[in-house]
PDB file of all heavy atoms in Angstrom:
ATOM      1  N   LYS R 276     172.101 215.269 107.279  1.00 49.00           N
ATOM      2  CA  LYS R 276     171.880 213.818 107.171  1.00 49.00           C
ATOM      3  C   LYS R 276     172.920 213.070 107.995  1.00 49.00           C
ATOM      4  O   LYS R 276     174.115 213.268 107.830  1.00 49.00           O
ATOM      5  CB  LYS R 276     171.994 213.399 105.701  1.00 49.00           C
ATOM      6  CG  LYS R 276     171.918 211.892 105.466  1.00 49.00           C
ATOM      7  CD  LYS R 276     172.139 211.581 103.996  1.00 49.00           C
ATOM      8  CE  LYS R 276     172.289 210.090 103.745  1.00 49.00           C
ATOM      9  NZ  LYS R 276     173.484 209.518 104.342  1.00 49.00           N
ATOM     10  N   ASP R 277     172.448 212.222 108.931  1.00 61.00           N
ATOM     11  CA  ASP R 277     173.369 211.404 109.715  1.00 61.00           C
ATOM     12  C   ASP R 277     173.895 210.274 108.841  1.00 61.00           C
ATOM     13  O   ASP R 277     173.315 209.932 107.807  1.00 61.00           O
ATOM     14  CB  ASP R 277     172.656 210.842 110.952  1.00 61.00           C
ATOM     15  CG  ASP R 277     173.640 210.293 111.977  1.00 61.00           C
ATOM     16  OD1 ASP R 277     174.844 210.508 111.817  1.00 61.00           O
ATOM     17  OD2 ASP R 277     173.178 209.656 112.949  1.00 61.00           O
ATOM     18  N   GLU R 278     174.993 209.723 109.269  1.00 75.00           N
ATOM     19  CA  GLU R 278     175.624 208.628 108.557  1.00 75.00           C
ATOM     20  C   GLU R 278     174.675 207.433 108.476  1.00 75.00           C
ATOM     21  O   GLU R 278     174.095 207.011 109.469  1.00 75.00           O
ATOM     22  CB  GLU R 278     176.863 208.255 109.372  1.00 75.00           C
ATOM     23  CG  GLU R 278     177.759 207.241 108.806  1.00 75.00           C
ATOM     24  CD  GLU R 278     178.931 207.058 109.759  1.00 75.00           C
ATOM     25  OE1 GLU R 278     179.715 207.996 109.936  1.00 75.00           O
ATOM     26  OE2 GLU R 278     179.010 205.979 110.350  1.00 75.00           O
ATOM     27  N   GLY R 279     174.512 206.877 107.281  1.00 76.00           N
ATOM     28  CA  GLY R 279     173.573 205.780 107.089  1.00 76.00           C
ATOM     29  C   GLY R 279     174.231 204.420 107.205  1.00 76.00           C
ATOM     30  O   GLY R 279     175.456 204.295 107.228  1.00 76.00           O
ATOM     31  N   ALA R 280     173.393 203.389 107.266  1.00 80.00           N
ATOM     32  CA  ALA R 280     173.902 202.014 107.269  1.00 80.00           C
ATOM     33  C   ALA R 280     174.565 201.710 105.936  1.00 80.00           C
ATOM     34  O   ALA R 280     174.153 202.218 104.884  1.00 80.00           O
ATOM     35  CB  ALA R 280     172.759 201.043 107.527  1.00 80.00           C
ATOM     36  N   GLY R 281     175.588 200.858 105.973  1.00 75.00           N
ATOM     37  CA  GLY R 281     176.325 200.515 104.757  1.00 75.00           C
ATOM     38  C   GLY R 281     175.579 199.571 103.845  1.00 75.00           C
ATOM     39  O   GLY R 281     175.954 199.387 102.697  1.00 75.00           O
ATOM     40  N   ASP R 282     174.507 198.976 104.337  1.00 79.00           N
ATOM     41  CA  ASP R 282     173.691 198.076 103.523  1.00 79.00           C
ATOM     42  C   ASP R 282     172.389 197.801 104.274  1.00 79.00           C
ATOM     43  O   ASP R 282     172.269 198.080 105.467  1.00 79.00           O
ATOM     44  CB  ASP R 282     174.432 196.753 103.278  1.00 79.00           C
ATOM     45  CG  ASP R 282     173.887 195.983 102.067  1.00 79.00           C
ATOM     46  OD1 ASP R 282     172.869 196.427 101.481  1.00 79.00           O
ATOM     47  OD2 ASP R 282     174.479 194.952 101.720  1.00 79.00           O
ATOM     48  N   GLN R 283     171.411 197.282 103.553  1.00 88.00           N
ATOM     49  CA  GLN R 283     170.206 196.814 104.233  1.00 88.00           C
ATOM     50  C   GLN R 283     170.517 195.477 104.893  1.00 88.00           C
ATOM     51  O   GLN R 283     171.537 194.850 104.612  1.00 88.00           O
ATOM     52  CB  GLN R 283     169.070 196.624 103.247  1.00 88.00           C
ATOM     53  CG  GLN R 283     169.268 195.452 102.287  1.00 88.00           C
ATOM     54  CD  GLN R 283     168.085 195.273 101.359  1.00 88.00           C
ATOM     55  OE1 GLN R 283     167.607 196.234 100.786  1.00 88.00           O
ATOM     56  NE2 GLN R 283     167.624 194.049 101.210  1.00 88.00           N
ATOM     57  N   GLY R 284     169.622 195.037 105.769  1.00 92.00           N
ATOM     58  CA  GLY R 284     169.822 193.708 106.343  1.00 92.00           C
ATOM     59  C   GLY R 284     169.201 193.560 107.710  1.00 92.00           C
ATOM     60  O   GLY R 284     168.711 194.512 108.315  1.00 92.00           O
ATOM     61  N   ILE R 285     169.215 192.309 108.183  1.00 97.00           N
ATOM     62  CA  ILE R 285     168.723 191.985 109.514  1.00 97.00           C
ATOM     63  C   ILE R 285     169.858 191.351 110.312  1.00 97.00           C
ATOM     64  O   ILE R 285     170.667 190.591 109.768  1.00 97.00           O
ATOM     65  CB  ILE R 285     167.500 191.044 109.460  1.00 97.00           C
ATOM     66  CG1 ILE R 285     167.826 189.767 108.664  1.00 97.00           C
ATOM     67  CG2 ILE R 285     166.312 191.754 108.833  1.00 97.00           C
ATOM     68  CD1 ILE R 285     166.719 188.720 108.696  1.00 97.00           C
ATOM     69  N   MET R 286     169.931 191.689 111.581  1.00 97.00           N
ATOM     70  CA  MET R 286     170.985 191.182 112.457  1.00 97.00           C
ATOM     71  C   MET R 286     170.367 190.688 113.757  1.00 97.00           C
ATOM     72  O   MET R 286     169.408 191.278 114.257  1.00 97.00           O
ATOM     73  CB  MET R 286     172.017 192.275 112.789  1.00 97.00           C
ATOM     74  CG  MET R 286     172.725 192.834 111.577  1.00 97.00           C
ATOM     75  SD  MET R 286     171.737 194.118 110.796  1.00 97.00           S
ATOM     76  CE  MET R 286     172.324 193.960 109.112  1.00 97.00           C
ATOM     77  N   PHE R 287     170.932 189.611 114.295  1.00 98.00           N
ATOM     78  CA  PHE R 287     170.417 189.015 115.522  1.00 98.00           C
ATOM     79  C   PHE R 287     171.482 188.998 116.610  1.00 98.00           C
ATOM     80  O   PHE R 287     172.675 188.820 116.335  1.00 98.00           O
ATOM     81  CB  PHE R 287     169.982 187.571 115.265  1.00 98.00           C
ATOM     82  CG  PHE R 287     168.735 187.443 114.434  1.00 98.00           C
ATOM     83  CD1 PHE R 287     168.821 187.290 113.054  1.00 98.00           C
ATOM     84  CD2 PHE R 287     167.479 187.480 115.019  1.00 98.00           C
ATOM     85  CE1 PHE R 287     167.682 187.159 112.274  1.00 98.00           C
ATOM     86  CE2 PHE R 287     166.327 187.350 114.247  1.00 98.00           C
ATOM     87  CZ  PHE R 287     166.424 187.196 112.874  1.00 98.00           C
ATOM     88  N   GLY R 288     171.024 189.153 117.842  1.00 98.00           N
ATOM     89  CA  GLY R 288     171.868 188.941 119.009  1.00 98.00           C
ATOM     90  C   GLY R 288     171.147 188.028 119.976  1.00 98.00           C
ATOM     91  O   GLY R 288     169.910 188.042 120.062  1.00 98.00           O
ATOM     92  N   TYR R 289     171.915 187.228 120.715  1.00 98.00           N
ATOM     93  CA  TYR R 289     171.303 186.227 121.588  1.00 98.00           C
ATOM     94  C   TYR R 289     172.148 186.057 122.841  1.00 98.00           C
ATOM     95  O   TYR R 289     173.381 186.225 122.815  1.00 98.00           O
ATOM     96  CB  TYR R 289     171.211 184.892 120.838  1.00 98.00           C
ATOM     97  CG  TYR R 289     170.563 183.769 121.609  1.00 98.00           C
ATOM     98  CD1 TYR R 289     169.202 183.794 121.917  1.00 98.00           C
ATOM     99  CD2 TYR R 289     171.313 182.670 122.027  1.00 98.00           C
ATOM    100  CE1 TYR R 289     168.592 182.755 122.612  1.00 98.00           C
ATOM    101  CE2 TYR R 289     170.719 181.621 122.720  1.00 98.00           C
ATOM    102  CZ  TYR R 289     169.358 181.673 123.008  1.00 98.00           C
ATOM    103  OH  TYR R 289     168.761 180.641 123.699  1.00 98.00           O
ATOM    104  N   ALA R 290     171.494 185.730 123.940  1.00 98.00           N
ATOM    105  CA  ALA R 290     172.178 185.357 125.176  1.00 98.00           C
ATOM    106  C   ALA R 290     171.278 184.411 125.954  1.00 98.00           C
ATOM    107  O   ALA R 290     170.047 184.474 125.842  1.00 98.00           O
ATOM    108  CB  ALA R 290     172.504 186.593 126.010  1.00 98.00           C
ATOM    109  N   CYS R 291     171.894 183.531 126.723  1.00 98.00           N
ATOM    110  CA  CYS R 291     171.134 182.589 127.550  1.00 98.00           C
ATOM    111  C   CYS R 291     171.998 182.183 128.737  1.00 98.00           C
ATOM    112  O   CYS R 291     173.205 182.399 128.749  1.00 98.00           O
ATOM    113  CB  CYS R 291     170.711 181.365 126.739  1.00 98.00           C
ATOM    114  SG  CYS R 291     172.100 180.383 126.130  1.00 98.00           S
ATOM    115  N   LYS R 292     171.387 181.570 129.722  1.00 98.00           N
ATOM    116  CA  LYS R 292     172.088 181.237 130.968  1.00 98.00           C
ATOM    117  C   LYS R 292     172.667 179.826 130.988  1.00 98.00           C
ATOM    118  O   LYS R 292     172.906 179.268 132.053  1.00 98.00           O
ATOM    119  CB  LYS R 292     171.152 181.446 132.154  1.00 98.00           C
ATOM    120  CG  LYS R 292     170.890 182.916 132.460  1.00 98.00           C
ATOM    121  CD  LYS R 292     170.181 183.099 133.782  1.00 98.00           C
ATOM    122  CE  LYS R 292     170.083 184.581 134.125  1.00 98.00           C
ATOM    123  NZ  LYS R 292     169.324 184.788 135.380  1.00 98.00           N
ATOM    124  N   GLU R 293     172.946 179.254 129.825  1.00 98.00           N
ATOM    125  CA  GLU R 293     173.483 177.896 129.784  1.00 98.00           C
ATOM    126  C   GLU R 293     174.944 177.821 130.244  1.00 98.00           C
ATOM    127  O   GLU R 293     175.405 176.774 130.691  1.00 98.00           O
ATOM    128  CB  GLU R 293     173.358 177.320 128.368  1.00 98.00           C
ATOM    129  CG  GLU R 293     171.915 177.084 127.953  1.00 98.00           C
ATOM    130  CD  GLU R 293     171.789 176.508 126.555  1.00 98.00           C
ATOM    131  OE1 GLU R 293     172.801 175.986 126.015  1.00 98.00           O
ATOM    132  OE2 GLU R 293     170.695 176.572 125.982  1.00 98.00           O
ATOM    133  N   THR R 294     175.689 178.919 130.100  1.00 98.00           N
ATOM    134  CA  THR R 294     177.085 178.982 130.543  1.00 98.00           C
ATOM    135  C   THR R 294     177.315 180.313 131.251  1.00 98.00           C
ATOM    136  O   THR R 294     176.526 181.249 131.117  1.00 98.00           O
ATOM    137  CB  THR R 294     178.059 178.890 129.347  1.00 98.00           C
ATOM    138  OG1 THR R 294     177.803 179.999 128.460  1.00 98.00           O
ATOM    139  CG2 THR R 294     177.897 177.586 128.580  1.00 98.00           C
ATOM    140  N   ASP R 295     178.423 180.408 131.983  1.00 97.00           N
ATOM    141  CA  ASP R 295     178.752 181.663 132.674  1.00 97.00           C
ATOM    142  C   ASP R 295     178.913 182.816 131.693  1.00 97.00           C
ATOM    143  O   ASP R 295     178.683 183.978 132.046  1.00 97.00           O
ATOM    144  CB  ASP R 295     180.043 181.498 133.477  1.00 97.00           C
ATOM    145  CG  ASP R 295     179.878 180.568 134.667  1.00 97.00           C
ATOM    146  OD1 ASP R 295     178.715 180.308 135.056  1.00 97.00           O
ATOM    147  OD2 ASP R 295     180.905 180.082 135.194  1.00 97.00           O
ATOM    148  N   GLU R 296     179.321 182.503 130.470  1.00 98.00           N
ATOM    149  CA  GLU R 296     179.529 183.530 129.447  1.00 98.00           C
ATOM    150  C   GLU R 296     178.218 183.896 128.747  1.00 98.00           C
ATOM    151  O   GLU R 296     178.211 184.682 127.804  1.00 98.00           O
ATOM    152  CB  GLU R 296     180.551 183.043 128.415  1.00 98.00           C
ATOM    153  CG  GLU R 296     181.974 182.937 128.956  1.00 98.00           C
ATOM    154  CD  GLU R 296     182.178 181.748 129.907  1.00 98.00           C
ATOM    155  OE1 GLU R 296     181.317 180.827 129.931  1.00 98.00           O
ATOM    156  OE2 GLU R 296     183.193 181.739 130.619  1.00 98.00           O
ATOM    157  N   LEU R 297     177.119 183.310 129.213  1.00 98.00           N
ATOM    158  CA  LEU R 297     175.774 183.558 128.663  1.00 98.00           C
ATOM    159  C   LEU R 297     175.700 183.188 127.181  1.00 98.00           C
ATOM    160  O   LEU R 297     175.107 183.886 126.367  1.00 98.00           O
ATOM    161  CB  LEU R 297     175.343 185.009 128.909  1.00 98.00           C
ATOM    162  CG  LEU R 297     175.374 185.458 130.383  1.00 98.00           C
ATOM    163  CD1 LEU R 297     174.843 186.884 130.525  1.00 98.00           C
ATOM    164  CD2 LEU R 297     174.598 184.509 131.293  1.00 98.00           C
ATOM    165  N   MET R 298     176.325 182.051 126.873  1.00 98.00           N
ATOM    166  CA  MET R 298     176.309 181.477 125.530  1.00 98.00           C
ATOM    167  C   MET R 298     175.654 180.103 125.557  1.00 98.00           C
ATOM    168  O   MET R 298     175.674 179.411 126.582  1.00 98.00           O
ATOM    169  CB  MET R 298     177.744 181.314 125.014  1.00 98.00           C
ATOM    170  CG  MET R 298     178.398 182.603 124.563  1.00 98.00           C
ATOM    171  SD  MET R 298     177.685 183.260 123.041  1.00 98.00           S
ATOM    172  CE  MET R 298     178.334 182.106 121.813  1.00 98.00           C
ATOM    173  N   PRO R 299     175.094 179.660 124.413  1.00 98.00           N
ATOM    174  CA  PRO R 299     174.613 178.275 124.323  1.00 98.00           C
ATOM    175  C   PRO R 299     175.774 177.309 124.586  1.00 98.00           C
ATOM    176  O   PRO R 299     176.890 177.511 124.096  1.00 98.00           O
ATOM    177  CB  PRO R 299     174.117 178.170 122.885  1.00 98.00           C
ATOM    178  CG  PRO R 299     173.859 179.583 122.452  1.00 98.00           C
ATOM    179  CD  PRO R 299     174.861 180.420 123.177  1.00 98.00           C
ATOM    180  N   ALA R 300     175.515 176.265 125.366  1.00 98.00           N
ATOM    181  CA  ALA R 300     176.582 175.358 125.795  1.00 98.00           C
ATOM    182  C   ALA R 300     177.266 174.606 124.653  1.00 98.00           C
ATOM    183  O   ALA R 300     178.503 174.524 124.626  1.00 98.00           O
ATOM    184  CB  ALA R 300     176.043 174.377 126.835  1.00 98.00           C
ATOM    185  N   PRO R 301     176.545 174.029 123.666  1.00 98.00           N
ATOM    186  CA  PRO R 301     177.237 173.230 122.647  1.00 98.00           C
ATOM    187  C   PRO R 301     178.285 174.015 121.851  1.00 98.00           C
ATOM    188  O   PRO R 301     179.391 173.517 121.626  1.00 98.00           O
ATOM    189  CB  PRO R 301     176.101 172.730 121.747  1.00 98.00           C
ATOM    190  CG  PRO R 301     174.908 172.705 122.642  1.00 98.00           C
ATOM    191  CD  PRO R 301     175.072 173.907 123.526  1.00 98.00           C
ATOM    192  N   ILE R 302     177.966 175.236 121.435  1.00 98.00           N
ATOM    193  CA  ILE R 302     178.941 176.020 120.659  1.00 98.00           C
ATOM    194  C   ILE R 302     180.083 176.484 121.555  1.00 98.00           C
ATOM    195  O   ILE R 302     181.254 176.490 121.145  1.00 98.00           O
ATOM    196  CB  ILE R 302     178.271 177.221 119.933  1.00 98.00           C
ATOM    197  CG1 ILE R 302     179.260 177.934 118.997  1.00 98.00           C
ATOM    198  CG2 ILE R 302     177.678 178.226 120.911  1.00 98.00           C
ATOM    199  CD1 ILE R 302     179.726 177.114 117.835  1.00 98.00           C
ATOM    200  N   TYR R 303     179.770 176.848 122.796  1.00 98.00           N
ATOM    201  CA  TYR R 303     180.814 177.323 123.704  1.00 98.00           C
ATOM    202  C   TYR R 303     181.865 176.229 123.944  1.00 98.00           C
ATOM    203  O   TYR R 303     183.070 176.480 123.862  1.00 98.00           O
ATOM    204  CB  TYR R 303     180.208 177.781 125.033  1.00 98.00           C
ATOM    205  CG  TYR R 303     181.253 178.274 125.993  1.00 98.00           C
ATOM    206  CD1 TYR R 303     181.845 179.523 125.817  1.00 98.00           C
ATOM    207  CD2 TYR R 303     181.685 177.478 127.038  1.00 98.00           C
ATOM    208  CE1 TYR R 303     182.835 179.971 126.677  1.00 98.00           C
ATOM    209  CE2 TYR R 303     182.677 177.913 127.901  1.00 98.00           C
ATOM    210  CZ  TYR R 303     183.251 179.171 127.721  1.00 98.00           C
ATOM    211  OH  TYR R 303     184.242 179.600 128.569  1.00 98.00           O
ATOM    212  N   PHE R 304     181.420 174.997 124.208  1.00 98.00           N
ATOM    213  CA  PHE R 304     182.370 173.917 124.472  1.00 98.00           C
ATOM    214  C   PHE R 304     183.082 173.468 123.188  1.00 98.00           C
ATOM    215  O   PHE R 304     184.259 173.082 123.234  1.00 98.00           O
ATOM    216  CB  PHE R 304     181.664 172.740 125.148  1.00 98.00           C
ATOM    217  CG  PHE R 304     181.122 173.078 126.520  1.00 98.00           C
ATOM    218  CD1 PHE R 304     179.819 172.752 126.868  1.00 98.00           C
ATOM    219  CD2 PHE R 304     181.904 173.748 127.443  1.00 98.00           C
ATOM    220  CE1 PHE R 304     179.319 173.073 128.123  1.00 98.00           C
ATOM    221  CE2 PHE R 304     181.420 174.081 128.701  1.00 98.00           C
ATOM    222  CZ  PHE R 304     180.117 173.747 129.049  1.00 98.00           C
ATOM    223  N   SER R 305     182.395 173.526 122.061  1.00 98.00           N
ATOM    224  CA  SER R 305     183.047 173.205 120.778  1.00 98.00           C
ATOM    225  C   SER R 305     184.218 174.144 120.528  1.00 98.00           C
ATOM    226  O   SER R 305     185.306 173.719 120.119  1.00 98.00           O
ATOM    227  CB  SER R 305     182.038 173.298 119.632  1.00 98.00           C
ATOM    228  OG  SER R 305     181.039 172.312 119.734  1.00 98.00           O
ATOM    229  N   HIS R 306     183.987 175.448 120.752  1.00 98.00           N
ATOM    230  CA  HIS R 306     185.069 176.429 120.598  1.00 98.00           C
ATOM    231  C   HIS R 306     186.219 176.156 121.567  1.00 98.00           C
ATOM    232  O   HIS R 306     187.395 176.214 121.199  1.00 98.00           O
ATOM    233  CB  HIS R 306     184.552 177.846 120.894  1.00 98.00           C
ATOM    234  CG  HIS R 306     183.705 178.442 119.828  1.00 98.00           C
ATOM    235  ND1 HIS R 306     183.944 178.274 118.482  1.00 98.00           N
ATOM    236  CD2 HIS R 306     182.628 179.275 119.920  1.00 98.00           C
ATOM    237  CE1 HIS R 306     183.040 178.966 117.793  1.00 98.00           C
ATOM    238  NE2 HIS R 306     182.240 179.562 118.637  1.00 98.00           N
ATOM    239  N   LYS R 307     185.860 175.894 122.817  1.00 98.00           N
ATOM    240  CA  LYS R 307     186.889 175.787 123.855  1.00 98.00           C
ATOM    241  C   LYS R 307     187.851 174.636 123.592  1.00 98.00           C
ATOM    242  O   LYS R 307     189.068 174.771 123.777  1.00 98.00           O
ATOM    243  CB  LYS R 307     186.232 175.635 125.232  1.00 98.00           C
ATOM    244  CG  LYS R 307     187.225 175.795 126.377  1.00 98.00           C
ATOM    245  CD  LYS R 307     186.521 175.853 127.727  1.00 98.00           C
ATOM    246  CE  LYS R 307     187.524 176.076 128.847  1.00 98.00           C
ATOM    247  NZ  LYS R 307     186.863 176.103 130.183  1.00 98.00           N
ATOM    248  N   ILE R 308     187.328 173.502 123.138  1.00 98.00           N
ATOM    249  CA  ILE R 308     188.192 172.354 122.819  1.00 98.00           C
ATOM    250  C   ILE R 308     189.266 172.761 121.815  1.00 98.00           C
ATOM    251  O   ILE R 308     190.466 172.521 122.012  1.00 98.00           O
ATOM    252  CB  ILE R 308     187.354 171.179 122.259  1.00 98.00           C
ATOM    253  CG1 ILE R 308     186.476 170.574 123.354  1.00 98.00           C
ATOM    254  CG2 ILE R 308     188.262 170.106 121.646  1.00 98.00           C
ATOM    255  CD1 ILE R 308     185.392 169.632 122.832  1.00 98.00           C
ATOM    256  N   LEU R 309     188.849 173.403 120.728  1.00 98.00           N
ATOM    257  CA  LEU R 309     189.793 173.754 119.655  1.00 98.00           C
ATOM    258  C   LEU R 309     190.728 174.885 120.066  1.00 98.00           C
ATOM    259  O   LEU R 309     191.904 174.906 119.688  1.00 98.00           O
ATOM    260  CB  LEU R 309     189.027 174.137 118.388  1.00 98.00           C
ATOM    261  CG  LEU R 309     188.163 173.036 117.767  1.00 98.00           C
ATOM    262  CD1 LEU R 309     187.545 173.533 116.468  1.00 98.00           C
ATOM    263  CD2 LEU R 309     188.962 171.767 117.528  1.00 98.00           C
ATOM    264  N   ARG R 310     190.211 175.820 120.839  1.00 98.00           N
ATOM    265  CA  ARG R 310     191.054 176.941 121.280  1.00 98.00           C
ATOM    266  C   ARG R 310     192.182 176.450 122.192  1.00 98.00           C
ATOM    267  O   ARG R 310     193.338 176.857 122.035  1.00 98.00           O
ATOM    268  CB  ARG R 310     190.196 177.989 121.988  1.00 98.00           C
ATOM    269  CG  ARG R 310     190.974 179.199 122.461  1.00 98.00           C
ATOM    270  CD  ARG R 310     190.056 180.311 122.942  1.00 98.00           C
ATOM    271  NE  ARG R 310     189.083 179.863 123.925  1.00 98.00           N
ATOM    272  CZ  ARG R 310     189.347 179.667 125.215  1.00 98.00           C
ATOM    273  NH1 ARG R 310     190.570 179.853 125.683  1.00 98.00           N
ATOM    274  NH2 ARG R 310     188.393 179.266 126.040  1.00 98.00           N
ATOM    275  N   LEU R 311     191.867 175.559 123.117  1.00 98.00           N
ATOM    276  CA  LEU R 311     192.901 175.029 124.011  1.00 98.00           C
ATOM    277  C   LEU R 311     193.905 174.171 123.237  1.00 98.00           C
ATOM    278  O   LEU R 311     195.112 174.225 123.502  1.00 98.00           O
ATOM    279  CB  LEU R 311     192.270 174.215 125.139  1.00 98.00           C
ATOM    280  CG  LEU R 311     191.395 174.999 126.132  1.00 98.00           C
ATOM    281  CD1 LEU R 311     190.871 174.066 127.216  1.00 98.00           C
ATOM    282  CD2 LEU R 311     192.155 176.166 126.759  1.00 98.00           C
ATOM    283  N   MET R 312     193.418 173.398 122.264  1.00 98.00           N
ATOM    284  CA  MET R 312     194.333 172.623 121.421  1.00 98.00           C
ATOM    285  C   MET R 312     195.288 173.542 120.675  1.00 98.00           C
ATOM    286  O   MET R 312     196.503 173.285 120.618  1.00 98.00           O
ATOM    287  CB  MET R 312     193.539 171.784 120.409  1.00 98.00           C
ATOM    288  CG  MET R 312     192.889 170.543 120.983  1.00 98.00           C
ATOM    289  SD  MET R 312     191.800 169.708 119.771  1.00 98.00           S
ATOM    290  CE  MET R 312     192.937 169.411 118.404  1.00 98.00           C
ATOM    291  N   ALA R 313     194.754 174.627 120.103  1.00 98.00           N
ATOM    292  CA  ALA R 313     195.593 175.554 119.324  1.00 98.00           C
ATOM    293  C   ALA R 313     196.630 176.231 120.212  1.00 98.00           C
ATOM    294  O   ALA R 313     197.791 176.403 119.805  1.00 98.00           O
ATOM    295  CB  ALA R 313     194.713 176.595 118.640  1.00 98.00           C
ATOM    296  N   GLU R 314     196.218 176.632 121.412  1.00 98.00           N
ATOM    297  CA  GLU R 314     197.174 177.286 122.321  1.00 98.00           C
ATOM    298  C   GLU R 314     198.346 176.362 122.635  1.00 98.00           C
ATOM    299  O   GLU R 314     199.503 176.782 122.604  1.00 98.00           O
ATOM    300  CB  GLU R 314     196.459 177.697 123.611  1.00 98.00           C
ATOM    301  CG  GLU R 314     195.525 178.890 123.432  1.00 98.00           C
ATOM    302  CD  GLU R 314     194.660 179.161 124.658  1.00 98.00           C
ATOM    303  OE1 GLU R 314     194.838 178.453 125.690  1.00 98.00           O
ATOM    304  OE2 GLU R 314     193.818 180.081 124.609  1.00 98.00           O
ATOM    305  N   ASP R 315     198.047 175.091 122.912  1.00 98.00           N
ATOM    306  CA  ASP R 315     199.117 174.152 123.236  1.00 98.00           C
ATOM    307  C   ASP R 315     199.926 173.767 122.007  1.00 98.00           C
ATOM    308  O   ASP R 315     201.145 173.550 122.094  1.00 98.00           O
ATOM    309  CB  ASP R 315     198.532 172.896 123.899  1.00 98.00           C
ATOM    310  CG  ASP R 315     198.193 173.128 125.364  1.00 98.00           C
ATOM    311  OD1 ASP R 315     198.464 174.238 125.876  1.00 98.00           O
ATOM    312  OD2 ASP R 315     197.648 172.206 126.004  1.00 98.00           O
ATOM    313  N   ARG R 316     199.274 173.675 120.858  1.00 97.00           N
ATOM    314  CA  ARG R 316     200.016 173.375 119.615  1.00 97.00           C
ATOM    315  C   ARG R 316     201.019 174.480 119.319  1.00 97.00           C
ATOM    316  O   ARG R 316     202.190 174.209 119.007  1.00 97.00           O
ATOM    317  CB  ARG R 316     199.029 173.219 118.446  1.00 97.00           C
ATOM    318  CG  ARG R 316     199.693 173.049 117.089  1.00 97.00           C
ATOM    319  CD  ARG R 316     198.678 172.916 115.974  1.00 97.00           C
ATOM    320  NE  ARG R 316     197.791 174.056 115.850  1.00 97.00           N
ATOM    321  CZ  ARG R 316     198.115 175.213 115.260  1.00 97.00           C
ATOM    322  NH1 ARG R 316     199.325 175.393 114.747  1.00 97.00           N
ATOM    323  NH2 ARG R 316     197.238 176.189 115.177  1.00 97.00           N
ATOM    324  N   LYS R 317     200.591 175.717 119.457  1.00 96.00           N
ATOM    325  CA  LYS R 317     201.454 176.846 119.104  1.00 96.00           C
ATOM    326  C   LYS R 317     202.560 177.077 120.135  1.00 96.00           C
ATOM    327  O   LYS R 317     203.619 177.609 119.811  1.00 96.00           O
ATOM    328  CB  LYS R 317     200.599 178.098 118.914  1.00 96.00           C
ATOM    329  CG  LYS R 317     199.716 177.997 117.667  1.00 96.00           C
ATOM    330  CD  LYS R 317     198.591 178.989 117.650  1.00 96.00           C
ATOM    331  CE  LYS R 317     198.974 180.305 117.078  1.00 96.00           C
ATOM    332  NZ  LYS R 317     197.802 181.173 116.851  1.00 96.00           N
TER     333      LYS R 317
END
């Protein structure tokens, strides 16, 4: 018997050409604002 999944469930993956990182633009830019703020704060 091969190793089984740790639980049942459904998982999704997504990519699109809205950004160079192949991510949806609104979430990508939302992250970037806060990440750059945190880097400079720290």
Side-chain angles (χ1 to χ4, degrees):
K276 174 184 171 294
D277 195 10
E278 185 179 295
D282 200 355
Q283 70 178 47
I285 55 174
M286 300 83 208
F287 289 93
Y289 182 68
C291 63
K292 288 191 173 177
E293 292 180 17
T294 60
D295 291 343
E296 291 73 16
L297 304 184
M298 284 290 287
I302 187 66
Y303 180 75
F304 296 132
S305 294
H306 285 322
K307 191 171 183 181
I308 291 167
L309 297 184
R310 181 170 52 79
L311 294 182
M312 283 173 57
E314 287 171 4
D315 282 357
R316 174 181 59 79
K317 291 163 86 170

